[in-house]
Amino acid sequence: MLSARNRLTGEVVELQTGDVTAEVTIDVNGETITAVITRESVENLEIEEEMELTAVVKATDVMVRSD
């Protein structure tokens, strides 16, 4: 169980791994969000392109913008 309420579920559309970190890009209803996590986390979670993931956002500051 997680206390965070900001959850964005989508499909992994790009995965770029480096020596220490990785960028995981998730398509959420036509919009993308990119998370930078450790390479070890990618391996432990067995993340790969086209799998469904949920990004959980827990932050002390959130900025919004009106277009």
Side-chain angles (χ1 to χ4, degrees):
M1 169 97 45
L2 288 175
S3 63
R5 294 182 180 169
N6 301 313
R7 300 175 189 185
L8 305 167
T9 300
E11 180 180 301
V12 177
V13 292
E14 187 174 1
L15 178 61
Q16 295 181 350
T17 56
D19 292 336
V20 178
T21 62
E23 290 186 7
V24 182
T25 303
I26 305 168
D27 180 304
V28 180
N29 298 322
E31 299 290 334
T32 57
I33 184 169
T34 301
V36 177
I37 63 175
T38 64
R39 181 178 178 167
E40 182 179 13
S41 292
V42 169
E43 294 167 357
N44 289 342
L45 294 169
E46 299 178 352
I47 296 173
E48 56 188 38
E49 290 186 8
E50 298 184 5
M51 77 180 293
E52 184 176 286
L53 281 184
T54 300
V56 180
V57 180
K58 184 78 171 177
T60 57
D61 296 306
V62 177
M63 294 181 210
V64 295
R65 174 181 111 164
S66 175
D67 290 326

